[in-house]
DNA sequence: TACACTACGTGCAAGTTTGCACTCTGCGCA
DNA sequence: TGCGCAGAGTGCAAACTTGCACGTAGTGTA
């Protein structure tokens, strides 16, 4: 009963599935622990138990609970970048970015990220960790963009171009989350998360059009 | 946050928990596959996938899907016998049996067993396997009773006594399931399963009172 | 009948999880 | 200050899971 498998990914092995499941179980457990008990009021032992693994295994995956928290953000970006890399090499970067976000079929994929965002806003002590994660994400975006422009263009773009673009992408993502959070608060429903995804795409689009004000140049022929 | 732990069991290790979870995931997957696709219309590969493990791991646990089915019945009995063995050594066997069944706090524990019972009734080809499981259960009951009377009595009971008692216990259990199934059909709700547990206990009680007809000797002083 | 194909069942080596025994650090308390 | 203790991390061996390769058996097909 194997599906036709329209995609070209070679179907993740059981090993990979298990690891991914464990990673996300740990991250989810940390998120819950922070929500319920507050940051610093739980032990690695607690997390391991909630995630259904041993304490030792926790440390096989993460070096600290903060690390596990970062993984939520970085993990989400990984998914998006994976989609990004599947886009044709010749496609403009900003179009690929929007397409990658759109291809996240299930908007619930963003749920942990969104919840983390809300939690960080309540516990400023976590901001340091979150900023670190974003910084890592930025570097990964830059890396991905860099790979893209190396293959898809006649002459490779210079470093400033690539890094500015990467940084802006990340900044747009953050802006989208800020706006979403201000607008929807802690609503993690499917609809709300769909809105968030829409905002993310919209922010990329703004970047794409050079933040042009719609009224001035409505359309180009 | 460790609870007082009123019981004397040494808290199962993570390894034991993992194994138990895998065993039951496999059995549940087989049950579902039979219900949905019918016996023989699925592969070990399907089961492994549904249970979230590799095909090889399936065979680490069971030698066949039938084996996994037997495990449902035998596993339930194991739980009951575990409670049985916790009863004081001096307590009469039939009282312990009733107490063991009563100490199954959650009647939902019986759910897989009950569902299996229903499925077997629809697929007589599975009966052979089920009977085999019951036979194994009978032997285990006899074993447990045998251990009990060896420690709790002045002189050990003879083989006939022990084996007849064990066999009768199993027969009563089966009778209770027959009656429950005739009465409740495929209702696996908490209430219905509570009824089943009641019938099981009642059948043990009948055995305990020598199947006395209530009207004749109502009560003894 | 011969052949391809699918699924079963098993041996083995490599990858992963776990228990345990440390060391180290921070904290409360006498 | 010194002591005890709880929790973070880490090294290691044993237990467990997985992928893979193999041999077997049944089934459909030319």
């Amino acid at each position: 009963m194997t599906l036709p498998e329209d995609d070209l990914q070679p179907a993740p092995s059981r090993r990979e599935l298990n690891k991914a499941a464990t990673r996300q179980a740990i991250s989810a457990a940390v998120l819950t622990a922070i929500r319920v008990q507050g940051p610093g009021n739980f032990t690695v032992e607690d997390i391991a138990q909630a995630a259904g693994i041993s304490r030792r295994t926790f440390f096989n995956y993460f070096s600290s609970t903060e690390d596990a928290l970062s993984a939520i953000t970085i993990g989400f970006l990984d998914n998006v970048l994976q989609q990004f890399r599947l886009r044709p090499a010749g496609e403009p970067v900003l179009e690929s970015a929007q397409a990658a976000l759109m291809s996240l079929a299930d908007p619930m994929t963003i749920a942990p990220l969104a919840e983390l965002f809300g939690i960080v806003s309540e516990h400023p002590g976590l901001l340091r960790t979150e900023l670190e994660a974003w910084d890592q994400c930025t570097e990964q975006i830059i890396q991905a963009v860099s790979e893209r422009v190396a293959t898809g263009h006649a002459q490779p773009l210079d470093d400033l171009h690539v890094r500015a673009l990467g940084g802006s992408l990340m900044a747009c993502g953050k802006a989208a989350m800020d706006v979403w959070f201000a607008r929807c608060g802690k609503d993690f429903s499917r609809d709300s998360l769909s809105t968030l995804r829409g905002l993310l795409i919209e922010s990329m689009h703004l970047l794409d059009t050079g933040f042009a004000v719609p009224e001035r140049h409505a359309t180009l022929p």
Side-chain angles (χ1 to χ4, degrees), chain A residues 83-212:
Chain A
Q83 296 304 122
F84 176 85
R85 288 184 232 264
L86 290 176
R87 306 295 309 174
E91 188 176 54
V93 167
L94 287 168
E95 275 180 35
S96 296
Q98 291 169 71
L101 284 167
M102 283 191 270
S103 68
L104 252 43
D106 186 358
M108 294 310 268
T109 324
I110 321 186
L113 188 61
E115 194 185 349
L116 177 56
F117 198 88
I119 285 178
V120 170
S121 78
E122 283 180 346
H123 300 285
L126 298 173
L127 187 56
R128 194 184 77 24
T129 307
E130 185 65 345
L131 288 173
E132 223 162 45
W134 282 335
D135 189 55
Q136 267 188 259
C137 286
T138 305
E139 290 303 322
Q140 293 203 13
I141 291 175
I142 289 167
Q143 179 62 33
V145 170
S146 174
E147 283 162 17
R148 161 66 67 84
V149 299
T151 59
H153 291 247
Q155 72 261 329
L157 299 176
D158 67 21
D159 259 20
L160 175 63
H161 189 136
V162 169
R163 298 192 65 86
L165 178 50
S168 300
L169 278 164
M170 192 66 210
C172 286
K174 183 175 178 327
M177 296 214 56
D178 283 330
V179 170
W180 167 80
F181 191 65
R183 201 183 283 179
C184 298
K186 291 191 186 138
D187 175 3
F188 304 121
S189 68
R190 180 168 297 272
D191 276 358
S192 171
L193 294 173
S194 213
T195 301
L196 172 53
R197 188 179 56 173
L199 287 168
L200 284 165
I201 295 168
E202 195 183 331
S203 69
M204 308 286 122
H205 184 68
L206 286 173
L207 206 51
D208 198 11
T209 53
F211 293 95

